[in-house]
Amino acid sequence: MVLLTLQGISKAFGLNAILNDVSLTLMQGSRMGLVGVNGSGKSTLFKIITGEMAPDSGTVSMIRGTSIGVLTQQADIQSDLTLYEELARVFEPVQRMEERLRELEQLMAEHHQDEKMLGSLSDEYARLTDRFEQAGGYEWPSRIQGVLAGLGFAKGREQDPARLLSGGEKTRLCLARLLLAQPDLLMLDEPTNHLDLPATGWLEDTLKRYSGTVLVISHDRYFLNAVCDAVAELSMTHLTQYTGNYDMFTQKRQADLERQLKEYQMQQKEIARQQAIIARYKMYNTEASLIKARSREKVLDKMDRVDRPQDESKVRFSFQTRRRSGDDVLMIQHISKSFDGRPLIQDFSLHLRLGDRVALIGANGVGKTTLFNIVTGKLKPDNGLVQFGSNVDVGYYDQHQSGLHPEKTVMDELWDDFPRLEPDQVRGTLALFLLTGDDVFQRIQTLSGGEKGRVALAKLMLKRDNLLLMDEPTNHLDMDSREVLEHALQDFEGTILAISHDRYFINRTCNRVVEMAADGITEYLGNYDDYIEKKRRMNAPEEIDPYGGRTRTEIEKEKRKERFSRESAKQIKQKVADLERRIADVEQRMTELEIEMSDPDTYQDRRYASDVAFEHKELVTTLATLYEQWEEAAEVVADQE
């Protein structure tokens, strides 16, 4: 059944058209993603659906009585209630039912000798008990605890005053309130922005089981893949609706663009042919030929012209290095850091080699950004050592863009750091990041988050460093900009260490995942999907496939090969080359360790000897996994050739 219909919706602000003849159909129970570049009108469309804003033309139709819950990016919690009390307000109708049940129990006890009164009270009690149970009257306290835990609020925080929460925490609390209220139509604007990976995974599972309908604005492509069964794209004031998740949407959109371009080219070819015939008829200049020319001109005038397909303007850039670093790029050894006596990072070690692409993940507050501040020299560790290899040039992308100067113009922000550039070169660089015309004279403090991110990326590109430390690089970027960034990093010849909650980004750019936790770190070879599979394998016994007699390991190997086969030949060949280089590095390091292990002097320092033996043991496991991945990728390359 259709829950929501939009027909011919148009909206403009002055002369700036935002929506033009937009139509949409949302089915009951559907989970639809609403995507588009920043400023394409997604939030405006949300406001029109909820009635907060009126369209200039068009109609919004919805099933009568539909309850709507909306999560915006601005939390509205200002009360003095605790987290628990704030969420308990959702269940006030249930609490009133419970109060009435207690009153009825008291009345029945007082009138137990009055059969007529007792019968009436008992009937009301039975009816109300049924309603109470259906409304979840016995389970709502545990539901509150479950939602708080799922969205990353630590146990015991339910008694914290809600008004003292950070902006991100208030948004999470608003999301918790909506999930508990369970409206018929749940409208979410960037719900994963303030969630870490475990909380995002919990939200995905919750929305997949959600009994109502979901309409979500999101730039989180992995989230859209996991949750959505339909995607609607706003582009250049128009909306196009697709069935399927995000990956299916991108395939269908590309196919549509190719089909539209082909139709346009074929029509242009036919128009040119007809115009040539008309010109030839006119050249003959006879009565008959002029009649034929006018006839063909009328046909051309009445032709329904196909517009040339246009796509939104996209960021275009690449990362180059001004020199090659040594094979050993970054060595972090036994780093520890505490604040006010509270340990945050304990005995952290990491070794980056040339060409590594490492994703650093972990719960919010575990110390990832603090680690970056230690590596860049902004903080000193309590213990441990940070060493860079030879010829290493460090570039740092700060998710908060704290390195930008609020009072400077965009033009001066780049020019002051790169004074040897000509003005046209500075403007040309900014144009690659869609900052053109008078945009370059805006002050940094007036820019949006996405625009500040693009300025920071422009500066990072110009520096041409060979080690990139990137803290949430896809935050504030629209999907197309994220994809361009991913392509640029795939072609980057240097080394990358990135903090990211963007699982799609990790899948496309990283070959190692390092998970930080309070009790230490764990390294996983491969991308995010490989990390998830290995976590599941660690937590589940070996199982036999009832349909084919295959083990879980064999099934997972097949899944990895399927993912390889969906990538381009160039990408897979690059992975084979990366794996071969990594195998050579590991084998060389194992040889070095074996030489040390055969030297009696090594065992004069017990801790050092233990570290050498442990590293060698880890590399044996690493080498086996690398060879397994290399074989799988090489097989796919052979099949493609």
Side-chain angles (χ1 to χ4, degrees):
M1 183 183 295
V2 176
L3 176 76
L4 169 69
T5 303
L6 307 182
Q7 290 185 323
I9 297 292
S10 295
K11 184 66 181 179
F13 297 99
L15 298 177
N16 184 25
I18 301 296
L19 305 173
N20 183 26
D21 196 25
V22 165
S23 295
L24 178 141
T25 301
L26 183 60
M27 304 299 293
Q28 270 187 324
S30 179
R31 287 146 182 76
M32 177 179 287
L34 182 60
V35 303
V37 300
N38 294 333
S40 60
K42 302 185 295 295
S43 296
T44 298
L45 191 62
F46 258 39
K47 291 176 181 178
I48 289 173
I49 292 172
T50 60
E52 183 181 344
M53 183 182 292
D56 296 337
S57 61
T59 59
V60 178
S61 303
M62 195 179 305
I63 294 178
R64 181 174 296 178
T66 298
S67 56
I68 302 176
V70 184
L71 176 73
T72 66
Q73 296 187 50
Q74 288 78 38
D76 60 350
I77 295 175
Q78 299 294 333
S79 71
D80 291 326
L81 300 176
T82 66
L83 273 66
Y84 186 89
E85 291 169 340
E86 186 69 40
L87 296 182
R89 291 170 56 191
V90 172
F91 299 100
E92 286 177 353
V94 178
Q95 295 173 50
R96 286 195 292 271
M97 282 190 242
E98 187 171 14
E99 291 171 2
R100 179 57 180 166
L101 286 173
R102 302 292 83 83
E103 291 175 2
L104 290 171
E105 289 168 355
Q106 181 66 32
L107 289 171
M108 285 190 291
E110 293 173 358
H111 297 87
H112 66 279
Q113 294 181 340
D114 186 338
E115 292 186 7
K116 186 175 180 181
M117 175 69 77
L118 184 61
S120 176
L121 292 171
S122 298
D123 289 344
E124 183 183 351
Y125 188 84
R127 290 192 302 270
L128 190 56
T129 299
D130 288 341
R131 287 174 52 206
F132 181 73
E133 291 176 351
Q134 290 172 6
Y138 296 115
E139 61 192 36
W140 67 265
S142 61
R143 283 182 59 196
I144 289 176
Q145 297 289 354
V147 168
L148 285 172
L151 291 177
F153 289 101
K155 191 172 183 179
R157 294 203 60 195
E158 58 270 13
Q159 298 307 319
D160 289 356
R163 61 181 173 80
L164 298 182
L165 297 178
S166 68
E169 289 174 329
K170 286 183 178 180
T171 301
R172 278 192 280 153
L173 189 62
C174 287
L175 177 57
R177 189 167 60 190
L178 285 174
L179 292 173
L180 290 170
Q182 295 190 317
D184 300 324
L185 175 58
L186 185 59
M187 299 175 64
L188 307 175
D189 190 351
E190 297 291 358
T192 63
N193 266 7
H194 302 284
L195 302 182
D196 58 20
L197 290 177
T200 300
W202 178 88
L203 178 61
E204 288 169 356
D205 292 337
T206 300
L207 292 180
K208 282 188 276 190
R209 299 192 305 268
Y210 191 71
S211 59
T213 304
V214 179
L215 181 61
V216 55
I217 297 172
S218 181
H219 287 123
D220 187 334
R221 296 156 295 174
Y222 203 100
F223 172 84
L224 293 172
N225 263 345
V227 171
C228 295
D229 53 29
V231 175
E233 182 190 30
L234 273 170
S235 176
M236 304 182 75
T237 74
H238 295 284
L239 183 140
T240 309
Q241 191 169 334
Y242 300 85
T243 58
N245 63 10
Y246 179 80
D247 280 347
M248 295 175 68
F249 150 71
T250 57
Q251 293 168 10
K252 291 177 180 178
R253 178 179 62 171
Q254 185 60 35
D256 281 353
L257 285 171
E258 291 172 358
R259 175 184 52 77
Q260 291 168 17
L261 181 59
K262 187 175 182 180
E263 289 176 357
Y264 171 79
Q265 290 171 339
M266 290 176 64
Q267 188 181 70
Q268 290 300 304
K269 187 177 180 180
E270 175 61 18
I271 289 172
R273 190 180 73 85
Q274 291 294 338
Q275 288 174 338
I277 293 172
I278 291 169
R280 195 159 55 245
Y281 279 143
K282 288 183 176 180
M283 184 179 64
Y284 294 153
N285 200 27
T286 66
E287 184 178 354
S289 66
L290 291 175
I291 291 173
K292 290 179 179 179
R294 285 194 294 272
S295 176
R296 286 181 179 264
E297 284 177 333
K298 289 179 181 178
V299 172
L300 274 184
D301 291 340
K302 293 179 180 179
M303 180 182 288
D304 188 9
R305 300 293 178 102
V306 176
D307 293 330
R308 182 183 182 88
Q310 293 180 317
D311 206 355
E312 300 279 3
S313 297
K314 292 186 180 180
V315 174
R316 306 180 307 282
F317 64 94
S318 61
F319 291 111
Q320 307 293 329
T321 59
R322 61 179 175 273
R323 60 178 177 172
R324 186 185 187 276
S325 72
D327 289 336
D328 290 315
V329 177
L330 174 63
M331 290 73 70
I332 304 174
Q333 300 173 359
H334 307 294
I335 288 292
S336 296
K337 183 66 180 177
S338 298
F339 292 94
D340 299 325
R342 182 179 66 86
L344 181 63
I345 300 174
Q346 300 184 67
D347 198 29
F348 182 99
S349 296
L350 181 66
H351 189 170
L352 292 188
R353 296 177 176 84
L354 176 62
D356 276 345
R357 282 143 167 73
V358 178
L360 188 62
I361 66 173
N364 292 337
V366 78
K368 302 185 296 295
T369 299
T370 298
L371 178 70
F372 267 30
N373 287 332
I374 291 172
V375 172
T376 56
K378 295 179 180 179
L379 285 175
K380 289 185 178 180
D382 299 334
N383 299 295
L385 184 65
V386 175
Q387 288 182 305
F388 294 100
S390 61
N391 297 326
V392 172
D393 305 308
V394 182
Y396 180 38
Y397 179 90
D398 174 10
Q399 65 164 317
H400 303 296
Q401 284 88 46
S402 57
L404 301 181
H405 303 83
E407 296 300 325
K408 286 186 180 180
T409 66
V410 174
M411 185 85 173
D412 289 340
E413 183 67 38
L414 260 69
W415 210 356
D416 288 351
D417 282 11
F418 304 95
R420 294 185 180 181
L421 294 178
E422 295 294 329
D424 288 347
Q425 291 177 301
V426 176
R427 294 193 70 132
T429 299
L430 290 170
L432 294 177
F433 293 84
L434 306 184
L435 295 164
T436 58
D438 291 340
D439 292 343
V440 303
F441 301 115
Q442 292 186 73
R443 296 193 181 278
I444 295 294
Q445 62 189 3
T446 66
L447 300 181
S448 67
E451 289 168 333
K452 289 178 182 176
R454 283 185 265 142
V455 173
L457 285 173
K459 293 179 68 174
L460 192 63
M461 182 191 78
L462 289 173
K463 285 187 66 184
R464 300 175 64 195
D465 296 315
N466 52 34
L467 170 60
L468 300 183
L469 303 178
M470 311 189 82
D471 189 356
E472 298 291 356
T474 59
N475 272 11
H476 306 298
L477 297 182
D478 58 49
M479 289 178 176
D480 287 337
S481 297
R482 292 182 185 199
E483 291 186 2
V484 175
L485 172 62
E486 289 157 3
H487 284 300
L489 292 177
Q490 285 169 356
D491 295 333
F492 178 57
E493 295 178 352
T495 305
I496 300 167
L497 178 60
I499 298 170
S500 183
H501 288 114
D502 187 337
R503 296 157 295 171
Y504 209 92
F505 169 85
I506 296 173
N507 266 350
R508 296 190 65 179
T509 60
C510 297
N511 55 26
R512 285 165 65 196
V513 175
V514 174
E515 182 178 27
M516 285 186 73
D519 57 352
I521 70 165
T522 310
E523 290 195 40
Y524 301 85
L525 284 173
N527 60 16
Y528 185 81
D529 283 343
D530 295 322
Y531 154 77
I532 289 295
E533 285 184 2
K534 288 170 185 173
K535 293 273 284 189
R536 287 174 179 164
R537 189 190 309 166
M538 290 165 57
N539 296 326
E542 192 79 359
E543 294 180 0
I544 301 297
D545 175 14
Y547 301 102
R550 298 168 297 170
T551 64
R552 177 186 293 275
T553 302
E554 291 169 335
I555 295 169
E556 288 170 351
K557 284 179 70 175
E558 286 188 15
K559 288 180 179 177
R560 285 198 298 272
K561 286 183 70 175
E562 286 176 8
R563 283 203 307 276
F564 273 133
S565 66
R566 290 195 293 268
E567 297 180 359
S568 69
K570 180 182 176 182
Q571 288 175 315
I572 300 172
K573 287 179 180 177
Q574 182 61 46
K575 284 191 176 181
V576 170
D578 289 343
L579 287 165
E580 288 172 347
R581 178 193 52 74
R582 180 81 171 120
I583 287 169
D585 289 345
V586 171
E587 289 178 337
Q588 180 181 346
R589 181 57 181 162
M590 288 177 66
T591 301
E592 294 169 356
L593 291 171
E594 287 162 1
I595 292 171
E596 292 195 44
M597 291 167 69
S598 65
D599 184 352
D601 291 342
T602 299
Y603 300 93
Q604 298 300 315
D605 185 337
R606 289 187 177 181
R607 178 168 181 177
Y608 178 69
S610 175
D611 287 347
V612 169
F614 179 78
E615 185 179 354
H616 186 272
K617 181 181 177 182
E618 289 289 299
L619 289 177
V620 169
T621 304
T622 297
L623 188 62
T625 304
L626 284 170
Y627 269 117
E628 180 183 330
Q629 293 183 347
W630 177 84
E631 288 173 4
E632 292 169 359
E635 284 179 21
V636 174
V637 171
D639 291 342
Q640 289 182 342
E641 293 177 346

